[in-house]
Amino acid sequence: MAKIYHHIVFLTGAGFSAESGLATFRGNGGLWNGCKIEDIASHAALDDNRDNLLDFYNRLRREMAGANPNTAHIALTELQKSYPGEVSIITQNLDTLHERAQSGDIFHIHGQINQVRCQDCDTVWETWEDIAADTPCPACGRTGVVRPNIVLFNEPVFCERQIKQLLRNADLFIAAGTSGEIPPASVFVQEAKLNGAETVALNLTPPQNYRYFDTVILGKISQTLPAFTAKLRTLASEKR
Ligand SMILES: [Zn+2]
């Protein structure tokens, strides 16, 4: 490892929030009301089964509203505050635990659970309340057009331009609590590596695309991440 990095990029995933008590819900044949998650949380469901889609995200919003950041979220915030280089966070998580831990420079590529959007006028606003088909848009007043501001299956991710820039500049890329199964996050490590970054995975199990990682550290993220950020800080302080 280098003594100091100028642009550190973390990619965080479900494993980060799992230790705050939030169950993972994407993929792996997850079910809701007997339907596959891929069918409920799809773009087509906005037309075909909006009530079920809204119910699903209402439940998720309630669950996430009650969750608290864990030691891994807090360790990232401390790193951002004390590290001499830039530290950015790309997250696949819909919860706002990085924000609650007072982290900054966060990019939610799949959106965030407390934001909703009007499909008609594109206004985005924040709420922790349930939304229903007859919830009106506060800007244009229309009903039947309000949806979670979340990337549904078959929709492009958010912040693509900023992510490309981050991966171009990164000299250290860390995938933390993510198995690397879901594109495009699964290819972020390849991009970072091609651009010359050192790559590290912190995960409970070996990531699927482990061959792209220079270092793989297995274990609970609440333990491996604080240890890793402490090491980064120690190396940086030796440099000065
Ligand atoms: Zn509107």
Side-chain angles (χ1 to χ4, degrees):
M1 282 180 73
K3 290 274 187 211
I4 216 152
Y5 298 91
H6 299 288
H7 300 282
I8 300 180
V9 175
F10 281 86
L11 168 68
T12 69
F16 233 88
S17 302
E19 289 189 58
S20 288
L22 297 176
T24 63
F25 75 96
R26 271 187 185 250
N28 295 328
L31 292 177
W32 166 250
N33 286 349
C35 307
K36 276 165 57 185
I37 302 298
E38 286 84 346
D39 294 335
I40 298 159
S42 72
H43 187 80
L46 282 173
D47 295 324
D48 304 344
N49 207 347
R50 183 179 285 263
D51 287 342
N52 204 28
L53 180 144
L54 294 179
D55 271 358
F56 173 72
Y57 284 107
N58 285 339
R59 182 203 62 143
L60 210 59
R61 193 178 302 107
R62 277 182 242 134
E63 194 179 318
M64 289 179 172
N68 292 310
N70 60 56
T71 53
H73 295 99
I74 292 160
L76 265 192
T77 305
E78 284 170 0
L79 185 72
Q80 283 189 321
K81 282 186 182 151
S82 61
Y83 197 75
E86 267 179 32
V87 180
S88 304
I89 302 169
I90 302 171
T91 188
Q92 296 163 273
N93 297 335
L94 304 180
D95 60 65
T96 55
L97 296 179
H98 286 304
E99 283 85 352
R100 286 190 193 187
Q102 310 291 322
S103 282
D105 213 10
I106 306 159
F107 299 87
H108 280 270
I109 59 169
H110 291 153
Q112 57 191 82
I113 193 70
N114 63 332
Q115 288 187 350
V116 289
R117 179 167 98 228
C118 173
Q119 283 176 269
D120 202 38
C121 72
D122 268 343
T123 299
V124 173
W125 65 99
E126 292 200 351
T127 183
W128 286 100
E129 303 297 316
D130 283 2
I131 55 171
D134 62 358
T135 301
C137 165
C140 69
R142 283 195 61 190
T143 57
V145 288
V146 172
R147 60 164 283 179
N149 192 32
I150 281 168
V151 174
L152 302 173
F153 286 92
N154 306 323
E155 290 183 330
V157 298
F158 294 153
C159 319
E160 275 183 299
R161 193 177 48 81
Q162 293 101 315
I163 303 304
K164 260 210 151 11
Q165 186 71 29
L166 286 175
L167 297 177
R168 193 175 301 139
N169 292 338
D171 49 7
L172 177 62
F173 174 90
I174 305 113
T178 172
S179 60
E181 283 173 22
I182 304 165
S186 53
V187 299
F188 288 175
V189 60
Q190 299 173 43
E191 268 188 73
K193 197 170 172 61
L194 279 172
N195 292 330
E198 199 176 321
T199 56
V200 179
L202 303 176
N203 206 33
L204 202 52
T205 53
Q208 277 201 340
N209 50 355
Y210 63 89
R211 66 183 178 282
Y212 293 109
F213 290 99
D214 299 315
T215 309
V216 174
I217 300 167
L218 298 180
K220 284 181 133 184
I221 209 79
S222 59
Q223 288 161 10
T224 57
L225 195 116
F228 185 77
T229 56
K231 189 173 169 189
L232 283 174
R233 291 207 303 239
T234 305
L235 284 168
S237 66
E238 283 169 4
K239 169 86 176 175
R240 280 180 276 179

